[in-house]
Coordinates of all heavy atoms in Angstrom, one line a residue:
M1 N 80.3 38.0 -6.9 CA 80.0 38.1 -8.3 C 81.3 37.6 -9.0 O 82.4 37.9 -8.7 CB 79.7 39.5 -8.7 CG 79.4 39.7 -10.1 SD 78.7 41.4 -10.3 CE 78.1 41.2 -12.0
T2 N 81.0 36.8 -10.1 CA 82.1 36.2 -10.9 C 82.6 37.2 -12.0 O 81.8 38.1 -12.4 CB 81.7 34.9 -11.5 OG1 80.6 35.2 -12.4 CG2 81.3 33.9 -10.5
A3 N 83.8 37.1 -12.3 CA 84.4 37.9 -13.4 C 83.8 37.5 -14.7 O 83.5 36.4 -15.0 CB 85.9 37.8 -13.4
A4 N 83.7 38.5 -15.6 CA 83.2 38.2 -17.0 C 84.2 37.3 -17.7 O 85.4 37.4 -17.5 CB 83.1 39.6 -17.7
R5 N 83.7 36.4 -18.5 CA 84.5 35.5 -19.3 C 84.6 36.0 -20.7 O 83.7 36.5 -21.3 CB 83.9 34.1 -19.3 CG 83.9 33.5 -17.9 CD 83.1 32.3 -17.7 NE 83.2 31.3 -18.7 CZ 82.2 30.4 -18.9 NH1 81.2 30.3 -18.1 NH2 82.3 29.5 -19.9
S6 N 85.8 35.8 -21.3 CA 86.1 36.3 -22.6 C 85.6 35.3 -23.7 O 86.0 34.1 -23.6 CB 87.6 36.5 -22.8 OG 88.0 36.7 -24.1
T7 N 84.8 35.8 -24.6 CA 84.3 34.9 -25.7 C 85.4 34.5 -26.6 O 85.4 33.5 -27.2 CB 83.1 35.5 -26.4 OG1 83.5 36.8 -26.9 CG2 81.9 35.7 -25.5
T8 N 86.4 35.4 -26.8 CA 87.6 35.1 -27.6 C 88.4 33.9 -27.1 O 88.7 33.0 -27.8 CB 88.5 36.3 -27.7 OG1 87.7 37.4 -28.3 CG2 89.7 36.0 -28.6
V9 N 88.6 34.0 -25.8 CA 89.3 32.8 -25.1 C 88.5 31.6 -25.2 O 89.0 30.5 -25.5 CB 89.7 33.2 -23.7 CG1 90.2 32.0 -22.9 CG2 90.7 34.3 -23.6
R10 N 87.2 31.7 -24.9 CA 86.3 30.5 -25.0 C 86.4 29.9 -26.4 O 86.5 28.7 -26.5 CB 84.8 31.0 -24.7 CG 83.8 29.8 -24.8 CD 82.4 30.3 -25.1 NE 82.3 31.0 -26.3 CZ 81.4 31.9 -26.6 NH1 80.5 32.2 -25.7 NH2 81.3 32.5 -27.8
D11 N 86.3 30.7 -27.5 CA 86.3 30.1 -28.8 C 87.7 29.5 -29.1 O 87.8 28.5 -29.8 CB 86.0 31.2 -29.8 CG 84.5 31.7 -29.7 OD1 83.7 31.0 -29.1 OD2 84.2 32.7 -30.3
R12 N 88.8 30.1 -28.6 CA 90.1 29.6 -28.9 C 90.3 28.3 -28.2 O 90.8 27.3 -28.8 CB 91.1 30.6 -28.3 CG 92.5 30.3 -28.8 CD 93.6 31.3 -28.3 NE 93.2 32.7 -28.7 CZ 93.2 33.7 -27.9 NH1 93.7 33.6 -26.7 NH2 92.8 34.9 -28.4
H13 N 89.8 28.1 -26.9 CA 89.8 26.9 -26.2 C 89.0 25.8 -26.9 O 89.4 24.7 -27.0 CB 89.4 27.1 -24.8 CG 90.4 27.8 -23.9 ND1 90.1 28.1 -22.6 CD2 91.6 28.3 -24.2 CE1 91.1 28.8 -22.1 NE2 92.0 28.9 -23.1
R14 N 87.8 26.2 -27.4 CA 86.9 25.2 -28.0 C 87.6 24.7 -29.3 O 87.6 23.5 -29.5 CB 85.6 26.0 -28.4 CG 84.6 25.1 -29.1 CD 83.3 25.9 -29.4 NE 82.5 25.2 -30.3 CZ 81.7 24.2 -30.0 NH1 81.7 23.7 -28.8 NH2 81.0 23.6 -30.9
T15 N 88.2 25.5 -30.1 CA 88.9 25.1 -31.3 C 90.1 24.2 -31.0 O 90.3 23.2 -31.6 CB 89.4 26.4 -32.1 OG1 88.3 27.1 -32.4 CG2 90.2 26.0 -33.3
A16 N 90.9 24.6 -29.9 CA 92.0 23.8 -29.5 C 91.6 22.4 -29.1 O 92.2 21.4 -29.5 CB 92.8 24.4 -28.4
I17 N 90.5 22.3 -28.3 CA 90.1 21.0 -27.9 C 89.5 20.1 -29.0 O 89.8 19.0 -29.2 CB 89.0 21.1 -26.8 CG1 89.7 21.7 -25.5 CG2 88.3 19.8 -26.4 CD1 88.7 22.2 -24.5
A18 N 88.7 20.7 -29.9 CA 88.1 20.0 -31.0 C 89.1 19.5 -32.0 O 88.9 18.5 -32.7 CB 87.1 20.9 -31.7
R19 N 90.3 20.2 -32.1 CA 91.3 19.9 -33.1 C 91.8 18.4 -32.9 O 92.0 17.7 -33.8 CB 92.5 20.9 -33.0 CG 93.5 20.7 -34.0 CD 94.6 21.7 -33.9 NE 94.0 23.1 -34.1 CZ 94.2 24.1 -33.2 NH1 95.0 23.9 -32.2 NH2 93.7 25.3 -33.4
G20 N 91.9 18.0 -31.6 CA 92.3 16.7 -31.3 C 91.3 15.6 -31.4 O 91.6 14.4 -31.3
R21 N 90.0 16.0 -31.6 CA 88.9 15.1 -31.7 C 88.8 14.0 -30.6 O 88.7 12.8 -30.8 CB 88.8 14.4 -33.0 CG 88.8 15.4 -34.2 CD 87.7 15.2 -35.1 NE 87.6 16.0 -36.2 CZ 86.7 17.0 -36.4 NH1 85.9 17.3 -35.4 NH2 86.8 17.8 -37.4
P22 N 89.0 14.5 -29.3 CA 89.0 13.5 -28.2 C 87.6 13.0 -27.9 O 86.6 13.6 -28.3 CB 89.4 14.3 -27.0 CG 89.0 15.7 -27.3 CD 89.1 15.8 -28.8
P23 N 87.5 11.8 -27.3 CA 86.2 11.3 -26.9 C 85.6 12.1 -25.7 O 86.3 13.0 -25.2 CB 86.5 9.9 -26.4 CG 87.9 9.9 -25.9 CD 88.6 11.0 -26.8
C24 N 84.4 11.9 -25.4 CA 83.7 12.6 -24.3 C 84.4 12.3 -23.0 O 84.7 11.2 -22.7 CB 82.2 12.2 -24.2 SG 81.3 12.9 -22.9
G25 N 84.8 13.4 -22.3 CA 85.5 13.3 -21.1 C 84.6 12.8 -19.9 O 85.1 12.5 -18.9
I26 N 83.3 12.8 -20.2 CA 82.4 12.3 -19.1 C 82.0 10.9 -19.3 O 82.1 10.1 -18.4 CB 81.1 13.3 -19.1 CG1 81.6 14.7 -18.8 CG2 80.1 12.8 -18.1 CD1 80.5 15.7 -19.0
C27 N 81.5 10.5 -20.5 CA 81.1 9.1 -20.7 C 82.1 8.2 -21.4 O 82.0 7.0 -21.4 CB 79.8 9.1 -21.5 SG 79.9 9.4 -23.2
G28 N 83.1 8.9 -22.1 CA 84.1 8.1 -22.8 C 83.8 7.7 -24.2 O 84.6 7.2 -24.9
D29 N 82.5 7.9 -24.6 CA 82.1 7.5 -26.0 C 82.7 8.6 -27.0 O 82.9 9.7 -26.6 CB 80.6 7.5 -26.1 CG 80.0 6.3 -25.4 OD1 80.7 5.4 -25.0 OD2 78.8 6.4 -25.2
P30 N 82.9 8.1 -28.2 CA 83.3 9.1 -29.3 C 82.3 10.2 -29.5 O 81.1 10.0 -29.3 CB 83.4 8.2 -30.5 CG 83.4 6.8 -30.1 CD 82.7 6.8 -28.8
I31 N 82.8 11.3 -29.9 CA 81.9 12.5 -30.3 C 81.9 12.6 -31.8 O 83.0 12.6 -32.4 CB 82.5 13.8 -29.6 CG1 82.4 13.6 -28.1 CG2 81.6 15.0 -30.1 CD1 83.1 14.8 -27.4
D32 N 80.7 12.8 -32.3 CA 80.6 13.1 -33.8 C 80.7 14.6 -33.9 O 79.8 15.3 -33.6 CB 79.3 12.6 -34.3 CG 79.1 12.8 -35.8 OD1 79.9 13.6 -36.4 OD2 78.2 12.3 -36.4
Y33 N 81.9 15.1 -34.3 CA 82.1 16.5 -34.4 C 81.4 17.2 -35.5 O 81.5 18.4 -35.6 CB 83.7 16.8 -34.4 CG 84.3 16.6 -33.1 CD1 84.7 15.3 -32.7 CD2 84.5 17.6 -32.2 CE1 85.3 15.1 -31.5 CE2 85.1 17.4 -31.0 CZ 85.5 16.1 -30.6 OH 86.0 15.9 -29.4
T34 N 80.7 16.4 -36.4 CA 79.9 17.1 -37.4 C 78.5 17.5 -36.9 O 77.9 18.3 -37.6 CB 79.8 16.1 -38.6 OG1 79.0 15.0 -38.3 CG2 81.1 15.7 -39.2
L35 N 78.1 16.9 -35.8 CA 76.8 17.3 -35.3 C 76.8 18.7 -34.7 O 77.8 19.2 -34.2 CB 76.4 16.3 -34.1 CG 76.2 14.9 -34.5 CD1 75.9 14.0 -33.3 CD2 75.1 14.7 -35.5
R36 N 75.7 19.4 -34.9 CA 75.6 20.8 -34.5 C 74.5 21.0 -33.4 O 73.6 20.2 -33.4 CB 75.4 21.7 -35.7 CG 76.5 21.7 -36.7 CD 77.7 22.4 -36.2 NE 78.8 22.3 -37.1 CZ 80.0 21.9 -36.7 NH1 80.3 21.7 -35.4 NH2 81.0 21.8 -37.6
Y37 N 74.7 22.0 -32.6 CA 73.6 22.4 -31.7 C 72.3 22.5 -32.4 O 72.3 23.1 -33.6 CB 74.0 23.7 -31.0 CG 73.0 24.2 -30.0 CD1 73.1 23.8 -28.7 CD2 72.0 25.1 -30.4 CE1 72.1 24.3 -27.8 CE2 71.1 25.5 -29.5 CZ 71.1 25.1 -28.2 OH 70.2 25.6 -27.3
P38 N 71.2 22.0 -32.0 CA 70.9 21.6 -30.6 C 71.0 20.1 -30.4 O 70.4 19.5 -29.5 CB 69.5 22.1 -30.4 CG 68.8 21.9 -31.7 CD 70.0 22.2 -32.7
D39 N 71.6 19.3 -31.3 CA 71.7 17.9 -31.2 C 72.3 17.5 -29.8 O 73.4 18.1 -29.4 CB 72.6 17.3 -32.3 CG 72.5 15.8 -32.3 OD1 73.0 15.1 -31.4 OD2 72.0 15.3 -33.3
L40 N 71.7 16.6 -29.1 CA 72.2 16.3 -27.7 C 73.5 15.6 -27.7 O 74.2 15.6 -26.7 CB 71.1 15.4 -27.0 CG 69.8 16.0 -26.7 CD1 68.8 15.0 -26.1 CD2 70.0 17.2 -25.8
R41 N 73.9 15.0 -28.8 CA 75.3 14.4 -28.9 C 76.3 15.3 -29.5 O 77.4 14.8 -29.8 CB 75.1 13.0 -29.7 CG 74.1 12.1 -29.1 CD 74.4 11.7 -27.6 NE 75.5 10.8 -27.6 CZ 76.1 10.4 -26.4 NH1 75.7 10.9 -25.3 NH2 77.1 9.6 -26.4
S42 N 76.0 16.5 -29.7 CA 77.0 17.5 -30.3 C 78.1 17.8 -29.3 O 78.0 17.6 -28.1 CB 76.3 18.7 -30.8 OG 75.7 19.4 -29.7
F43 N 79.2 18.3 -29.8 CA 80.4 18.7 -29.0 C 80.2 19.9 -28.3 O 79.7 21.0 -28.8 CB 81.6 18.8 -30.0 CG 82.7 19.6 -29.4 CD1 83.5 19.1 -28.4 CD2 83.1 20.8 -29.9 CE1 84.6 19.8 -27.8 CE2 84.2 21.5 -29.4 CZ 84.9 21.0 -28.4
V44 N 80.5 19.9 -27.0 CA 80.5 21.1 -26.1 C 81.8 21.0 -25.3 O 82.4 19.9 -25.2 CB 79.3 21.2 -25.2 CG1 78.0 21.4 -26.0 CG2 79.2 20.1 -24.2
V45 N 82.1 22.1 -24.7 CA 83.3 22.1 -23.7 C 82.8 22.1 -22.3 O 81.9 22.8 -22.0 CB 84.2 23.3 -24.0 CG1 85.3 23.4 -22.9 CG2 84.8 23.3 -25.4
D46 N 83.3 21.1 -21.5 CA 83.0 21.0 -20.1 C 84.1 21.4 -19.2 O 85.3 21.2 -19.5 CB 82.7 19.5 -19.9 CG 82.5 19.2 -18.4 OD1 81.7 19.8 -17.7 OD2 83.2 18.3 -17.9
H47 N 83.8 22.1 -18.2 CA 84.8 22.5 -17.1 C 84.9 21.3 -16.2 O 83.9 20.9 -15.6 CB 84.3 23.7 -16.3 CG 84.5 25.0 -17.1 ND1 83.5 25.5 -17.9 CD2 85.5 25.8 -17.2 CE1 83.9 26.6 -18.4 NE2 85.1 26.8 -18.1
V48 N 86.0 20.7 -16.1 CA 86.3 19.5 -15.3 C 85.9 19.8 -13.8 O 85.1 19.1 -13.2 CB 87.7 19.0 -15.3 CG1 87.9 17.8 -14.4 CG2 88.1 18.6 -16.8
V49 N 86.5 20.9 -13.3 CA 86.1 21.4 -12.0 C 85.2 22.6 -12.3 O 85.7 23.6 -12.9 CB 87.3 21.9 -11.1 CG1 86.8 22.5 -9.8 CG2 88.2 20.7 -10.9
P50 N 83.9 22.6 -12.1 CA 83.0 23.6 -12.4 C 83.4 25.0 -11.9 O 84.0 25.1 -10.8 CB 81.7 23.2 -11.8 CG 81.8 21.7 -11.6 CD 83.2 21.5 -11.3
L51 N 83.1 26.0 -12.7 CA 83.4 27.4 -12.3 C 82.8 27.7 -10.9 O 83.3 28.3 -10.1 CB 83.0 28.4 -13.3 CG 83.6 28.3 -14.7 CD1 83.0 29.3 -15.7 CD2 85.1 28.5 -14.6
S52 N 81.5 27.2 -10.7 CA 80.8 27.4 -9.5 C 81.5 26.8 -8.3 O 81.2 27.1 -7.1 CB 79.4 27.0 -9.6 OG 79.3 25.6 -9.8
A53 N 82.3 25.8 -8.5 CA 83.1 25.1 -7.5 C 84.5 25.6 -7.3 O 85.3 25.0 -6.7 CB 83.1 23.6 -7.7
G54 N 84.8 26.7 -8.0 CA 86.1 27.3 -7.9 C 87.1 26.9 -9.0 O 88.3 27.3 -8.9
G55 N 86.6 26.2 -10.0 CA 87.4 25.8 -11.1 C 87.8 27.0 -12.0 O 87.1 28.0 -12.0
A56 N 89.0 26.9 -12.6 CA 89.5 28.0 -13.4 C 88.9 27.9 -14.8 O 88.6 26.8 -15.3 CB 91.0 27.9 -13.5
D57 N 88.8 29.0 -15.5 CA 88.4 29.1 -16.9 C 89.6 29.0 -17.8 O 89.9 29.9 -18.6 CB 87.6 30.3 -17.1 CG 86.8 30.3 -18.4 OD1 86.5 29.2 -18.9 OD2 86.6 31.3 -19.0
T58 N 90.4 27.9 -17.6 CA 91.6 27.7 -18.4 C 91.5 26.4 -19.2 O 90.7 25.6 -19.0 CB 92.8 27.5 -17.4 OG1 92.6 26.3 -16.6 CG2 93.0 28.7 -16.5
L59 N 92.3 26.3 -20.2 CA 92.3 25.1 -21.1 C 92.6 23.9 -20.3 O 92.0 22.8 -20.6 CB 93.4 25.3 -22.2 CG 93.4 24.3 -23.3 CD1 92.0 24.2 -24.0 CD2 94.5 24.6 -24.3
E60 N 93.4 23.9 -19.3 CA 93.7 22.8 -18.5 C 92.5 22.2 -17.7 O 92.5 21.1 -17.3 CB 94.9 23.1 -17.6 CG 96.2 23.3 -18.2 CD 96.3 24.7 -18.9 OE1 95.6 25.6 -18.4 OE2 97.1 24.9 -19.9
N61 N 91.5 23.1 -17.5 CA 90.4 22.7 -16.8 C 89.2 22.4 -17.7 O 88.0 22.3 -17.2 CB 90.0 23.8 -15.7 CG 88.9 23.3 -14.8 OD1 88.9 22.2 -14.3 ND2 87.9 24.2 -14.5
K62 N 89.4 22.2 -18.9 CA 88.3 22.0 -19.9 C 88.6 20.7 -20.6 O 89.7 20.2 -20.8 CB 88.3 23.1 -20.9 CG 87.9 24.4 -20.3 CD 87.8 25.6 -21.3 CE 87.5 26.9 -20.6 NZ 87.4 28.0 -21.6
Q63 N 87.4 20.0 -21.0 CA 87.5 18.8 -21.8 C 86.3 18.7 -22.7 O 85.3 19.5 -22.6 CB 87.4 17.6 -20.8 CG 86.1 17.5 -20.0 CD 86.1 16.3 -19.1 OE1 87.0 15.5 -19.0 NE2 85.1 16.3 -18.2
A64 N 86.4 17.9 -23.7 CA 85.4 17.7 -24.7 C 84.3 16.9 -24.0 O 84.5 16.0 -23.2 CB 85.9 16.9 -25.9
A65 N 83.0 17.1 -24.4 CA 81.9 16.4 -23.9 C 80.7 16.4 -24.9 O 80.7 17.3 -25.7 CB 81.4 17.0 -22.5
H66 N 79.8 15.5 -24.7 CA 78.6 15.5 -25.4 C 77.7 16.5 -24.7 O 77.8 16.7 -23.5 CB 77.9 14.2 -25.4 CG 78.5 13.1 -26.1 ND1 79.1 12.0 -25.5 CD2 78.7 12.9 -27.5 CE1 79.7 11.2 -26.4 NE2 79.4 11.7 -27.6
R67 N 76.8 17.2 -25.5 CA 75.9 18.2 -24.8 C 75.1 17.5 -23.8 O 74.9 18.1 -22.7 CB 75.1 18.8 -25.9 CG 74.2 19.9 -25.4 CD 73.5 20.6 -26.6 NE 72.5 21.5 -26.0 CZ 71.2 21.2 -26.2 NH1 70.8 20.2 -26.9 NH2 70.3 22.0 -25.6
D68 N 74.5 16.3 -24.0 CA 73.7 15.7 -23.0 C 74.5 15.3 -21.8 O 74.0 15.4 -20.6 CB 72.8 14.6 -23.6 CG 73.6 13.4 -24.1 OD1 74.8 13.6 -24.5 OD2 73.0 12.4 -24.3
C69 N 75.7 14.8 -22.0 CA 76.5 14.4 -20.8 C 76.9 15.6 -20.0 O 76.8 15.5 -18.7 CB 77.8 13.7 -21.3 SG 77.6 12.2 -22.1
N70 N 77.2 16.7 -20.6 CA 77.5 17.9 -19.9 C 76.3 18.5 -19.1 O 76.5 18.9 -18.0 CB 78.1 19.0 -20.9 CG 78.7 20.2 -20.2 OD1 79.3 20.0 -19.1 ND2 78.6 21.3 -20.8
R71 N 75.2 18.4 -19.7 CA 73.9 18.8 -19.0 C 73.6 17.9 -17.8 O 73.2 18.4 -16.8 CB 72.8 18.9 -20.0 CG 72.9 20.0 -21.0 CD 71.7 20.0 -21.8 NE 70.5 20.3 -21.0 CZ 69.4 20.8 -21.4 NH1 69.2 21.0 -22.6 NH2 68.4 21.0 -20.5
A72 N 73.8 16.6 -18.0 CA 73.6 15.7 -16.9 C 74.6 15.9 -15.7 O 74.3 15.8 -14.6 CB 73.6 14.3 -17.3
K73 N 75.8 16.2 -16.1 CA 76.9 16.4 -15.1 C 76.6 17.7 -14.3 O 76.8 17.8 -13.1 CB 78.3 16.5 -15.8 CG 79.4 16.8 -14.8 CD 80.7 17.1 -15.5 CE 81.7 17.6 -14.5 NZ 82.5 18.6 -15.0
S74 N 76.1 18.7 -15.0 CA 75.7 20.0 -14.5 C 77.0 20.6 -13.8 O 78.0 20.7 -14.4 CB 74.6 19.8 -13.5 OG 74.1 21.1 -13.0
N75 N 76.8 21.0 -12.5 CA 78.0 21.7 -11.9 C 78.6 20.7 -10.8 O 79.2 21.2 -9.9 CB 77.5 23.0 -11.2 CG 76.6 22.7 -10.0 OD1 76.0 21.7 -10.0 ND2 76.4 23.7 -9.2
K76 N 78.6 19.4 -11.1 CA 79.2 18.4 -10.3 C 80.6 18.1 -10.8 O 80.9 18.3 -11.9 CB 78.4 17.2 -10.2 CG 77.0 17.3 -9.7 CD 76.3 16.0 -9.7 CE 75.1 15.9 -10.5 NZ 74.6 16.8 -11.4
T77 N 81.4 17.7 -9.9 CA 82.8 17.2 -10.2 C 82.7 15.7 -10.2 O 82.3 15.1 -9.2 CB 83.8 17.7 -9.2 OG1 83.7 19.1 -9.2 CG2 85.2 17.3 -9.6
L78 N 83.1 15.1 -11.3 CA 83.2 13.6 -11.4 C 84.6 13.1 -11.4 O 85.4 13.7 -12.1 CB 82.5 13.1 -12.7 CG 81.0 13.5 -12.8 CD1 80.5 13.1 -14.2 CD2 80.2 12.9 -11.7
A79 N 84.9 12.1 -10.7 CA 86.2 11.5 -10.7 C 86.4 10.6 -11.9 O 85.4 10.0 -12.4 CB 86.4 10.6 -9.4
P80 N 87.6 10.6 -12.5 CA 87.8 9.9 -13.8 C 87.5 8.4 -13.6 O 87.1 7.7 -14.6 CB 89.3 10.1 -14.1 CG 89.6 11.3 -13.3 CD 88.7 11.4 -12.1
I81 N 87.6 7.8 -12.4 CA 87.4 6.4 -12.2 C 85.9 6.0 -12.5 O 85.6 5.0 -12.9 CB 87.8 5.9 -10.8 CG1 87.8 4.4 -10.7 CG2 86.9 6.5 -9.8 CD1 88.8 3.8 -11.5
L82 N 85.0 7.0 -12.3 CA 83.6 6.7 -12.6 C 83.3 6.4 -14.0 O 82.6 5.5 -14.4 CB 82.7 7.9 -12.1 CG 82.6 8.2 -10.6 CD1 81.9 9.5 -10.4 CD2 82.0 7.0 -9.9
K83 N 84.0 7.1 -14.9 CA 83.9 7.0 -16.3 C 84.3 5.6 -16.7 O 83.6 4.9 -17.4 CB 84.6 8.0 -17.1 CG 84.6 7.9 -18.6 CD 85.3 9.0 -19.2 CE 86.7 9.2 -18.8 NZ 87.5 10.2 -19.5
R84 N 85.4 5.1 -16.2 CA 86.0 3.8 -16.6 C 85.2 2.7 -16.0 O 85.2 1.6 -16.5 CB 87.5 3.7 -16.2 CG 88.4 4.7 -17.0 CD 89.8 4.3 -16.8 NE 90.2 4.3 -15.4 CZ 90.6 5.3 -14.7 NH1 90.7 6.5 -15.2 NH2 91.0 5.2 -13.4
S85 N 84.6 2.9 -14.8 CA 83.9 1.8 -14.1 C 82.6 1.4 -14.8 O 82.1 0.4 -14.5 CB 83.7 2.2 -12.7 OG 82.6 3.1 -12.6
G86 N 82.1 2.3 -15.6 CA 80.8 2.0 -16.3 C 79.6 2.4 -15.4 O 78.5 2.2 -15.8
S87 N 79.9 3.0 -14.2 CA 78.8 3.3 -13.4 C 77.9 4.5 -13.9 O 76.9 4.7 -13.4 CB 79.3 3.7 -12.0 OG 80.1 4.8 -12.0
L88 N 78.4 5.2 -14.9 CA 77.6 6.3 -15.5 C 77.0 5.8 -16.8 O 76.5 6.6 -17.5 CB 78.6 7.5 -15.8 CG 79.2 8.1 -14.6 CD1 80.1 9.3 -15.1 CD2 78.2 8.7 -13.7
A89 N 76.9 4.5 -17.0 CA 76.3 4.0 -18.2 C 74.8 4.4 -18.3 O 74.1 4.5 -17.3 CB 76.4 2.5 -18.3
R90 N 74.4 4.8 -19.5 CA 73.0 5.2 -19.7 C 72.1 3.9 -19.8 O 72.5 2.9 -20.2 CB 72.9 5.9 -21.0 CG 73.5 7.3 -20.9 CD 73.3 8.0 -22.3 NE 74.0 9.2 -22.3 CZ 75.3 9.4 -22.6 NH1 76.0 8.3 -22.8 NH2 75.9 10.5 -22.6
P91 N 70.9 4.1 -19.3 CA 69.9 2.9 -19.4 C 69.8 2.5 -20.8 O 69.8 3.3 -21.8 CB 68.6 3.5 -18.9 CG 69.0 4.7 -18.1 CD 70.3 5.2 -18.7
G92 N 69.8 1.1 -21.0 CA 69.7 0.6 -22.4 C 71.0 0.4 -23.1 O 71.1 -0.1 -24.2
R93 N 72.1 0.9 -22.5 CA 73.4 0.7 -23.1 C 74.2 -0.3 -22.3 O 74.1 -0.4 -21.1 CB 74.2 2.0 -23.0 CG 73.9 3.0 -24.1 CD 74.9 4.0 -24.1 NE 74.8 4.9 -25.2 CZ 75.6 5.9 -25.5 NH1 76.5 6.2 -24.7 NH2 75.4 6.6 -26.6
P94 N 74.9 -1.2 -23.0 CA 75.7 -2.2 -22.3 C 76.8 -1.5 -21.5 O 77.4 -0.5 -22.0 CB 76.3 -3.1 -23.4 CG 76.2 -2.2 -24.6 CD 75.1 -1.3 -24.5
V95 N 77.1 -2.0 -20.4 CA 78.2 -1.5 -19.6 C 79.5 -2.1 -20.1 O 79.6 -3.3 -20.3 CB 78.0 -1.9 -18.1 CG1 79.2 -1.5 -17.3 CG2 76.8 -1.3 -17.5
P96 N 80.5 -1.3 -20.4 CA 81.8 -1.8 -21.0 C 82.5 -2.6 -19.9 O 82.5 -2.4 -18.7 CB 82.6 -0.5 -21.3 CG 81.9 0.6 -20.5 CD 80.5 0.2 -20.2
S97 N 83.1 -3.7 -20.5 CA 83.9 -4.6 -19.5 C 85.2 -3.9 -19.2 O 85.8 -3.2 -20.1 CB 84.1 -5.9 -20.2 OG 84.9 -5.7 -21.4
P98 N 85.7 -4.0 -18.0 CA 86.9 -3.4 -17.6 C 88.1 -4.0 -18.4 O 88.2 -5.1 -18.7 CB 87.1 -3.6 -16.1 CG 86.0 -4.7 -15.8 CD 85.1 -4.8 -16.9
T99 N 89.0 -3.1 -18.8 CA 90.2 -3.5 -19.5 C 91.4 -3.6 -18.5 O 91.4 -2.8 -17.6 CB 90.6 -2.6 -20.7 OG1 90.7 -1.3 -20.1 CG2 89.5 -2.6 -21.7
R100 N 92.2 -4.5 -18.7 CA 93.4 -4.7 -17.8 C 94.6 -4.6 -18.6 O 94.8 -4.9 -19.7 CB 93.3 -6.0 -17.1 CG 92.1 -6.1 -16.2 CD 92.0 -7.4 -15.6 NE 90.7 -7.5 -15.1 CZ 90.4 -8.0 -13.9 NH1 91.3 -8.4 -13.1 NH2 89.2 -8.1 -13.5

């Protein structure tokens, strides 16, 4: 059984991450921080290493994400190179060219 998570810590981490207005840590696209739940492109916090895979519930293991990206990622761990390679591009979206 997993330990209970603190909603105070969760809210503090969410505020700290949103303050910097980073792009989505999964797809790399900008996040519109004015969008609210249940919008699929709204801001959520993603655990880089999922809790179910032994990841810590710490700020260092969290990143900004779109709600739909986070749902698609689910409890998988994605390597950062996947995001840059464009292999996670959504259908109908152009694949970004690699920068050197």
